Amino acid sequence: MSRFLEVAHVTKRFRGLTAVDDVSFGLDKGAIYAIIGPNGAGKTTLFNLLAGVYAPDAGSIAFEGKPIAGLAPEKICQAGIARTFQIVRPFPGLSVLENAKIGALLRHRDPLDAEQAAGETLRRLDLWDKRRQLAASLTLPDRKRLEMARALATEPKLLLLDEVMAGLRPTETDRIVSILKALAAESGLTVLLIEHVMRAVMALAERILVLHHGAAIAEGEPATVVRDPLVLECYLGAEALE
Amino acid sequence: MPFDFYVTVAVQGVLTGLVYGLMALGLSVIFGVVRVVNFAHGEFAVVAMYLAFLGFAMFGLDPILAMLPIGLGFFGLGYLLQRHLINPFVGRPEHEQFILLVGLAIVLVNGLLMLFGPDTRHANLPYGFDSYEVANVLIDKVRVYAAAAALVVAALLFAFFRWSRTGMAIRACADNLLGAAIVGLDVKHLYALTFGLGMACVGAAGALMVVLADATPMLAPAFTLLAFTIVIVGGMGSMAGALVGGILIGVSEAFASFLVAPSAKSMFSFAILIAILALRPQGLLGRKQ
Amino acid sequence: MSVFAALNGRAKLLLTLFVLGLAAAPLAADRYLVSVLILIFYFAYLGQAWNIMMGFAGQLSLGHSLYVGLGAYIAAALWTKFGIGPWAGMFAGMAIAMAFGAAIGWLGFRFGIAGVYFALLTIAFAEFTRIAFDHMDWTGRAGGLFLPVRAEQAGQWWNLRGGPLLFYYLALALMLGALWLCAALRASRLGHYWLAVREDEAAARALGIDAFAVKMQAVLISSAMAAIGGTFYAFYYNNLFPAQIFDMSRSIEMILAPIVGGLGTLFGPILGAFILTPLGEGLIAATEEAGLSAPGTKAVFYGLALMAIVWVAPSGVWPWLRRKLGLETP
């Protein structure tokens, strides 16, 4: 049986530079996965391949058994994969509620239903009180949660989170960690996150994939992966062992 | 029709096209660096035409020489315009820049209409009807002079951007604004210089245009469109592209005028524009982004 | 009606007074005032059509005179050549205008031509068509197409033959109908998707929005509405010249009201038309009074006014006025 998300031998090159090099991994439904790796390891490129921004030069991506590599971003989202952007891009001139509502309209064609669904998502992410504010006026932690809320409002089966915790204080990080844990436990949401904040990765992820120079160098449970000598050498460095 | 005739039309088109190219070069330089579309470009060209016409009518100044003081004056005007009027709009939404410049264009073209009326003005040069004959091909003397002058101005601009320190600094601004600001370049000053240079091009081109066409305020919107068309066809941000686009449009206009009707000449230009946008949106010499 | 129900009490009251006031205005207004109001409604209507593309979907079109001109010429030609009435002619004009809109949209959106480039594409199509009509014998070339005004047809309101009052109420209905349509669209799924694409196309696509389809719908609806305006124009003025109706200055005239009133707002195009048209008329009167009868005087002030407005109130007058009137929904 094929897995929930199956990435097989995916390669992406930019003008001779191989950003993602023959990467394979798989995800099972309902779990939280993390991709880690130093800057320039190809994490965001891999993400963009999954989200339909780029088509891979080689390899295949299958979601729920159906090939999705090279589909347009909107088709990927319609198939049930939602993503956030590393540099958050809420719709600045629209209110928080409208931002979430636009996401919710994907599965709720009636605007009133969508508004209701959007409201529920905003409550989950502690944004309900700010629903009337313009997205442009939010603080960075709020904007990060709005970015997640908007993606969640599309009711995805798989959520791709691109460094949603970067630049946040530990209390904020913990807040997002607990929200994600609750979501995965309650609704069976599958989460794939790129993350630099190891605290959050260790608290959340059931499995970790380590990328280095575009290639997957380790995959497994967090406790095992962070002790992998290869990983330590090329990514985590000595200070991560403390 | 004899072959010589076609050659004549083509050569006239190329010569006119070089002057068009100089005008478009101004637009291209401004857009390439300041990222503002000068929707009043053609209006400025016609203002320059009237200045050159006045210089000729009042002092007998040859428009081809008048290009120098007019270009210089337009440089200063452009510098001040950018500093005081347009700079606050840099980085604002396109439609706001557009309204500002359309407002300016309306003021300019109707100001000319108030001052000079709608009638056309013709600079009757003493050598206006002279022509060179090269192997059965007749070429207007005025066109040769105007095209040569346009080439010289364009070459000076190329040299400035290629070799001078200031020119390189401006190119740095165009490539990486943040980086340019970080290394301490005075971006506002450089933007104003660029706008001034773009305006100098359009001033010089306008002065030269007097020998090719009669001045009337009605030319202004058509020139704005013409400059745009040329820049897009040649490739936004490519200086050589502006000249190549100018020549192409000049030739197409010349043939359309002779083979169809003078009033239909810009139809061909727009057809070329639509084809370019569809097939090669970056323009003939533009780089793919 | 659900659109109306969503307004707060004061807004409902003011809107009702506004509509009733305009409906009753011809009782008190003289012929000149009626003609100015017709012009205001016409520009408000076209502004609303354009606002769907730019204000909602964020696509800058500077060639809307194309759709108005097609709507005008096709209905007028069918009427003068074959006696086909303006209602059928209007639909024919809409269909052709939409076909042009689809061609422009397809070229622009499929090849990722955006912003200034897209604006230029729209201008190019409009100018191309203007010159084509200048040389088309069937519609009288540059010399114009004239709709005969025959005594025996007077009062045939179903053929849009009638006096100023007929056109007054027709224009009022167009403006109010467009207001209702825009409000309904704005509240709909499509309306939300337009705003998303306007704000950030890549983010919108990541939320499952087919940006291409959404933008195509905007251009189709907008061009169809503009064509209806053109049919109205043809039968109101009874003469058409390519150099007039397809001209770029017509396109620019059309977009000023929504920009001055407030881009992307529902009432902005109407408010903008109520500001600009009287301003223009007032300038004509004032310049004549001052003895400045030179051509262009009015337009110079017009240009200065535009620059002043975009300098002082770039987001338009309506957002400000709405706050002052207390019409924000709680």
Side-chain angles (χ1 to χ4, degrees):
Chain A
M1 206 189 82
S2 63
R3 300 180 74 175
F4 187 57
L5 180 76
E6 182 91 61
V7 176
H9 306 291
V10 160
T11 297
K12 178 72 191 171
R13 294 180 206 91
F14 295 108
R15 290 201 189 125
L17 174 86
T18 307
V20 173
D21 191 4
D22 195 29
V23 169
S24 301
F25 67 97
L27 260 60
D28 295 316
K29 200 166 165 50
I32 299 181
Y33 289 79
I35 301 177
I36 62 172
N39 283 324
K43 303 185 300 287
T44 295
T45 305
L46 180 59
F47 233 58
N48 282 331
L49 289 168
L50 296 176
V53 177
Y54 311 128
D57 295 317
S60 66
I61 305 169
F63 179 62
E64 294 187 309
K66 288 187 278 293
I68 59 161
L71 288 185
E74 59 268 22
K75 294 275 178 272
I76 302 264
C77 182
Q78 287 160 12
I81 303 179
R83 59 103 36 109
T84 64
F85 290 91
Q86 186 179 355
I87 297 161
V88 291
R89 2 184 13 163
F91 304 125
L94 305 182
S95 72
V96 168
L97 181 60
E98 280 176 312
N99 265 272
K101 190 175 166 187
I102 286 166
L105 278 163
L106 181 66
R107 313 271 178 225
H108 303 267
R109 299 188 70 93
D110 179 56
L112 285 178
D113 292 350
E115 192 162 315
Q116 200 139 22
E120 279 159 31
T121 313
L122 290 179
R123 282 201 188 84
R124 278 221 92 109
L125 286 147
D126 297 339
L127 284 166
W128 175 249
D129 293 340
K130 293 174 178 159
R131 65 189 178 282
R132 295 204 184 283
Q133 286 187 28
L134 283 187
S137 72
L138 295 181
T139 59
L140 180 69
D142 284 345
R143 268 184 281 156
K144 293 234 169 193
R145 270 181 293 120
L146 177 58
E147 182 90 358
M148 285 175 60
R150 207 173 52 174
L152 281 170
T154 66
E155 294 172 19
K157 296 171 197 159
L158 170 62
L159 179 64
L160 307 176
L161 297 175
D162 196 350
E163 296 202 24
V164 277
M165 313 206 212
L168 297 187
R169 278 173 289 130
T171 49
E172 283 291 339
T173 323
D174 290 348
R175 179 147 122 179
I176 291 182
V177 166
S178 66
I179 290 170
L180 283 175
K181 277 194 157 162
L183 275 170
E186 288 163 31
S187 59
L189 177 73
T190 314
V191 179
L192 176 62
L193 43 93
I194 290 182
E195 204 47 75
H196 267 308
V197 181
M198 283 309 285
R199 219 171 101 83
V201 172
M202 299 306 281
L204 272 173
E206 287 149 46
R207 291 186 81 81
I208 295 180
L209 175 77
V210 185
L211 284 186
H212 187 55
H213 290 319
I217 56 166
E219 205 253 326
E221 284 169 18
T224 331
V225 166
V226 294
R227 279 181 187 80
D228 187 318
L230 193 58
V231 174
L232 289 177
E233 185 190 326
C234 73
Y235 170 55
L236 293 170
E239 72 273 14
L241 289 172
E242 54 182 312
Chain B
M1 264 178 274
F3 178 71
D4 291 346
F5 185 76
Y6 288 104
V7 176
T8 307
V9 172
V11 170
Q12 308 272 33
V14 169
L15 297 175
T16 311
L18 280 168
V19 179
Y20 286 173
L22 179 61
M23 182 171 76
L25 192 56
L27 187 73
S28 180
V29 163
I30 293 171
F31 182 82
V33 177
V34 190
R35 294 272 137 200
V36 166
V37 175
N38 183 11
F39 271 95
H41 206 70
E43 282 73 9
F44 281 117
V46 176
V47 170
M49 278 180 91
Y50 271 95
L51 288 175
F53 168 77
L54 286 179
F56 177 75
M58 291 164 77
F59 311 110
L61 180 63
D62 191 313
I64 291 169
L65 293 176
M67 157 186 118
L68 294 172
I70 292 173
L72 215 60
F74 267 51
F75 173 78
L77 176 66
Y79 190 94
L80 293 175
L81 263 181
Q82 170 64 30
R83 268 253 119 116
H84 298 293
L85 187 73
I86 294 163
N87 205 54
F89 283 77
V90 169
R92 300 245 303 250
E94 268 168 3
H95 68 270
E96 288 179 19
Q97 302 172 352
F98 164 75
I99 288 285
L100 180 79
L101 286 156
V102 161
L104 183 62
I106 293 173
V107 170
L108 287 173
V109 74
N110 289 287
L112 288 174
L113 202 59
M114 280 171 75
L115 291 172
F116 300 100
D119 301 336
T120 56
R121 305 287 170 134
H122 177 70
N124 212 349
L125 289 175
Y127 55 92
F129 293 103
D130 297 356
S131 53
Y132 297 113
E133 190 179 341
V134 185
N136 278 338
V137 175
L138 279 176
I139 306 160
D140 300 341
K141 202 169 173 179
V142 288
R143 267 178 226 276
V144 175
Y145 285 9
L151 263 183
V152 169
V153 176
L156 286 174
L157 199 69
F158 278 99
F160 170 79
F161 279 114
R162 188 88 182 82
W163 287 297
S164 80
R165 282 188 67 87
T166 315
M168 285 190 247
I170 290 174
R171 281 194 290 146
C173 282
D175 285 346
N176 185 344
L177 185 56
L178 187 64
I182 287 170
V183 300
L185 294 177
D186 183 352
V187 173
K188 273 189 191 170
H189 171 67
L190 293 172
Y191 272 10
L193 277 181
T194 308
F195 208 94
L197 288 170
M199 286 282 287
C201 287
V202 76
L208 298 175
M209 208 75 85
V210 167
V211 306
L212 306 177
D214 295 347
T216 156
M218 308 309 158
L219 277 176
F223 276 170
T224 299
L225 279 181
L226 181 73
F228 268 119
T229 306
I230 290 169
V231 169
I232 305 269
V233 167
M236 207 52 120
S238 156
M239 295 180 61
L243 289 186
V244 171
I247 292 170
L248 182 65
I249 295 296
V251 171
S252 110
E253 276 197 357
F255 275 104
S257 292
F258 274 97
L259 300 178
V260 187
S263 57
K265 63 181 184 182
S266 48
M267 208 166 136
F268 280 64
S269 317
F270 291 125
I272 292 177
L273 173 69
I274 292 167
I276 287 279
L277 281 174
L279 302 173
R280 200 180 153 81
Q282 75 271 32
L284 291 175
L285 299 188
R287 269 175 302 171
K288 222 175 187 149
Q289 43 133 352
Chain C
M1 277 291 104
S2 63
V3 182
F4 185 72
L7 298 171
N8 73 18
R10 192 187 297 207
K12 276 180 189 156
L13 178 69
L14 284 176
L15 183 60
T16 310
L17 286 177
F18 177 73
V19 172
L20 289 178
L22 289 178
L27 294 173
D30 62 4
R31 223 185 142 83
Y32 170 70
L33 194 57
V34 165
S35 75
V36 172
L37 282 168
I38 292 175
L39 217 54
I40 292 175
F41 301 159
Y42 175 70
F43 280 115
Y45 172 78
L46 290 182
Q48 285 165 316
W50 180 80
N51 196 35
I52 288 178
M53 265 202 71
M54 178 65 199
F56 290 174
Q59 306 303 309
L60 179 58
S61 163
L62 296 181
H64 257 52
S65 63
L66 169 66
Y67 311 127
V68 176
L70 288 170
Y73 257 102
I74 288 159
L78 289 177
W79 170 246
T80 51
K81 310 279 171 187
F82 309 112
I84 296 172
W87 299 102
M90 181 181 87
F91 281 104
M94 278 166 76
I96 307 269
M98 285 166 85
F100 270 77
I104 293 172
W106 186 82
L107 267 177
F109 307 145
R110 187 49 88 205
F111 296 102
I113 299 166
V116 183
Y117 294 83
F118 180 74
L120 197 68
L121 184 71
T122 61
I123 296 177
F125 264 89
E127 284 289 297
F128 185 89
T129 315
R130 173 179 68 79
I131 300 166
F133 270 82
D134 259 342
H135 296 86
M136 208 146 75
D137 283 321
W138 193 60
T139 52
R141 305 172 71 104
L145 180 64
F146 299 88
L147 286 79
V149 182
R150 294 197 188 92
E152 71 270 19
Q153 285 172 342
Q156 286 188 7
W157 57 268
W158 60 94
N159 277 334
L160 297 187
R161 305 281 78 186
L165 277 188
L166 169 68
F167 289 99
Y168 179 88
Y169 286 107
L170 205 57
L172 180 61
L174 280 178
M175 178 181 83
L176 295 176
L179 178 63
W180 177 81
L181 178 67
C182 288
L185 283 169
R186 170 67 185 78
S188 73
R189 185 176 195 241
L190 179 60
H192 283 84
Y193 279 5
W194 281 337
L195 297 191
V197 167
R198 176 191 81 189
E199 294 284 310
D200 188 331
E201 190 168 329
R205 294 184 71 186
L207 296 177
I209 298 172
D210 184 344
F212 176 77
V214 162
K215 288 190 283 187
M216 283 302 273
Q217 290 174 62
V219 77
L220 288 175
I221 294 174
S222 185
S223 57
M225 284 175 72
I228 295 174
T231 305
F232 172 87
Y233 179 97
F235 282 78
Y236 179 51
Y237 286 106
N238 292 316
N239 57 62
L240 295 172
F241 302 93
Q244 228 170 50
I245 196 149
F246 286 111
D247 197 72
M248 193 173 74
S249 61
R250 283 296 97 77
S251 296
I252 288 171
E253 212 169 65
M254 208 179 301
I255 77 177
L256 295 178
I259 290 178
V260 167
L263 202 62
T265 65
L266 291 174
F267 210 72
I270 297 177
L271 180 66
F274 268 92
I275 294 172
L276 287 173
T277 309
L279 181 72
E281 294 294 319
L283 283 171
I284 294 178
T287 48
E288 277 172 2
E289 193 86 354
L292 295 166
S293 58
T297 318
K298 170 199 155 194
V300 167
F301 286 111
Y302 212 65
L304 289 173
L306 274 185
M307 291 168 75
I309 286 169
V310 73
W311 196 277
V312 180
S315 56
V317 184
W318 177 242
W320 170 84
L321 187 65
R322 185 172 52 186
R323 264 196 310 282
K324 288 277 156 197
L325 293 175
L327 304 181
E328 312 265 72
T329 36

